[in-house]
Amino acid sequence: MLKTELSDSCLISLYKKGNEEALSTLISRHKSRIFTSIYLIVKDKFVAEDILQDVFIKIINIIKKGKYNEEGKFLPWILRIAHNQSIDHFRKNKRNPKITLADGSDIFNCLKFSESREDYETLSKHSIEYIKKLIDALPEKQRQVLVMRHYMKMSFQEIAETTNVSINTALGRMRYALLSLRKKIKHKQIAYE
Amino acid sequence: MSKTSTNQDIVKYVYNELEEEKQNQFNFKYLTDSKIRNEVEMISNTKKVLDNLLFNPSDSVIKRIKDFSSALNFAEKIN
């Protein structure tokens, strides 16, 4: 893998010329953010992986055909493709949502929240799964704004335009989502203690 | 500044999107209004949790993507 800090644009140029390492570096650099954005929308890890694969195959084809023209904006571009494919999947499955059950363990026994604020930086695996469940339980529109702003790094104005709502509505949804998560996290902390 | 407007500004503030001209007014409110301070704190803490919430795809899906690309590259070279 290329260890240098080459920009995404440089890596894409190298990849166009047949350098596979450039693609590996791009994947390694962005896979977590792209995958998390998809996973939080579709909720199922295996579906999220399928979508991730489709997204990369799509962008590989676009780049190889010389149709990529968003220099310097690779991540927002691929995140939008990922988002569109996730939403398409979500809409198709909305009437018959697939419920993925955990391993059966009691979430309350697994909770391991940090006591100090600094420890937010080292969330345990169980806490990560628990917080994902809380995000999954948010109303769809709130979850969408949260993913678009927090993981896709879209501005509130861009989110408003993409979702056809006013910026105030987008901000309101984000606020409710964040406060709702906060309350649930805090509540479970107290319950566990 | 209305309550709704302040609530929206809190979200913008935490996500660094608050307009420059509103910054001073908001800073003043932040220093003088404990409710605003509390909400900024709550939202900031939740944001920190989300910052650390990242998932990784399996190695096998990454391998499939790379294999697809290699095959495409190979096909390009022989054509």
Side-chain angles (χ1 to χ4, degrees):
Chain A
M1 197 187 300
L2 294 167
K3 296 286 182 191
T4 51
E5 287 297 314
L6 289 176
S7 68
D8 289 351
S9 295
C10 286
L11 291 170
I12 290 165
S13 298
L14 285 170
Y15 179 58
K16 273 182 195 169
K17 291 171 190 164
N19 188 319
E20 291 290 319
E21 284 300 305
L23 179 71
S24 292
T25 306
L26 278 170
I27 292 173
S28 178
R29 188 178 286 177
H30 299 304
K31 66 179 180 184
S32 300
R33 184 163 297 280
I34 299 165
F35 182 69
T36 303
S37 301
I38 298 169
Y39 187 28
L40 291 178
I41 294 172
V42 301
K43 302 182 183 181
D44 181 292
K45 189 168 192 242
F46 298 107
V47 172
E49 288 193 339
D50 283 347
I51 293 175
L52 182 81
Q53 182 178 318
D54 290 348
V55 168
F56 269 102
I57 286 173
K58 187 172 184 173
I59 68 122
I60 285 167
N61 282 323
I62 291 172
I63 293 170
K64 287 288 184 189
K65 284 176 186 169
K67 290 182 178 173
Y68 174 75
N69 59 3
E70 299 202 28
E71 281 190 26
K73 294 177 183 173
F74 175 74
L75 186 60
W77 174 63
I78 191 169
L79 280 170
R80 272 160 209 250
I81 293 172
H83 179 256
N84 289 341
Q85 297 217 6
S86 307
I87 294 293
D88 283 350
H89 172 86
F90 185 77
R91 284 184 181 144
K92 274 182 209 163
N93 291 276
K94 201 175 172 185
R95 287 188 181 184
N96 297 299
K98 185 179 173 184
I99 299 165
T100 307
L101 297 173
D103 59 2
S105 58
D106 187 345
I107 191 67
F108 291 95
N109 295 333
C110 301
L111 278 176
K112 191 183 170 187
F113 276 98
S114 312
E115 288 176 5
S116 70
R117 200 174 300 162
E118 289 73 26
D119 286 345
Y120 279 128
E121 286 163 22
T122 52
L123 290 172
S124 72
K125 191 183 169 196
H126 289 308
S127 297
I128 286 172
E129 288 303 320
Y130 173 67
I131 292 160
K132 184 186 174 291
K133 282 174 194 284
L134 294 183
I135 294 174
D136 287 352
L138 287 173
E140 182 192 340
K141 287 172 181 172
Q142 288 180 27
R143 195 172 75 247
Q144 189 182 26
V145 175
L146 186 136
V147 172
M148 290 170 110
R149 182 62 191 87
H150 199 89
Y151 294 99
M152 297 174 66
K153 304 292 178 197
M154 292 169 73
S155 69
F156 287 113
Q157 186 59 48
E158 288 173 316
I159 294 167
E161 285 163 13
T162 306
T163 55
N164 291 320
V165 295
S166 70
I167 186 168
N168 290 343
T169 301
L171 283 162
R173 285 175 182 169
M174 186 69 174
R175 178 173 174 268
Y176 280 119
L178 291 168
L179 289 177
S180 164
L181 288 175
R182 176 67 192 155
K183 272 180 205 161
K184 285 171 186 166
I185 289 169
K186 206 173 176 184
H187 174 72
K188 300 303 178 198
Q189 238 174 327
I190 292 163
Y192 185 64
E193 283 164 5
Chain B
M1 204 185 280
S2 72
K3 193 181 171 191
T4 308
S5 156
T6 306
N7 287 340
Q8 288 158 354
D9 286 347
I10 290 171
V11 180
K12 281 186 180 176
Y13 174 79
V14 172
Y15 277 88
N16 295 318
E17 283 196 37
L18 191 63
E19 297 85 350
E20 215 177 318
E21 63 270 20
K22 283 188 176 178
Q23 201 78 48
N24 280 343
Q25 193 182 3
F26 186 83
N27 285 343
F28 179 77
K29 279 198 165 254
Y30 178 84
L31 290 171
T32 56
D33 189 330
S34 62
K35 279 184 184 172
I36 290 178
R37 265 201 315 280
N38 283 343
E39 186 157 327
V40 168
E41 185 126 326
M42 280 197 288
I43 289 181
S44 298
N45 285 342
T46 312
K47 184 175 176 280
K48 278 181 199 164
V49 171
L50 295 177
D51 284 339
N52 290 289
L53 190 77
L54 279 176
F55 297 92
N56 277 309
S58 65
D59 292 341
S60 59
V61 71
I62 298 302
K63 185 178 180 302
R64 286 201 298 274
I65 293 165
K66 289 179 184 175
D67 287 348
F68 170 81
S69 175
S70 298
L72 204 65
N73 234 348
F74 181 71
E76 273 180 359
K77 279 177 189 165
I78 58 168
N79 284 333

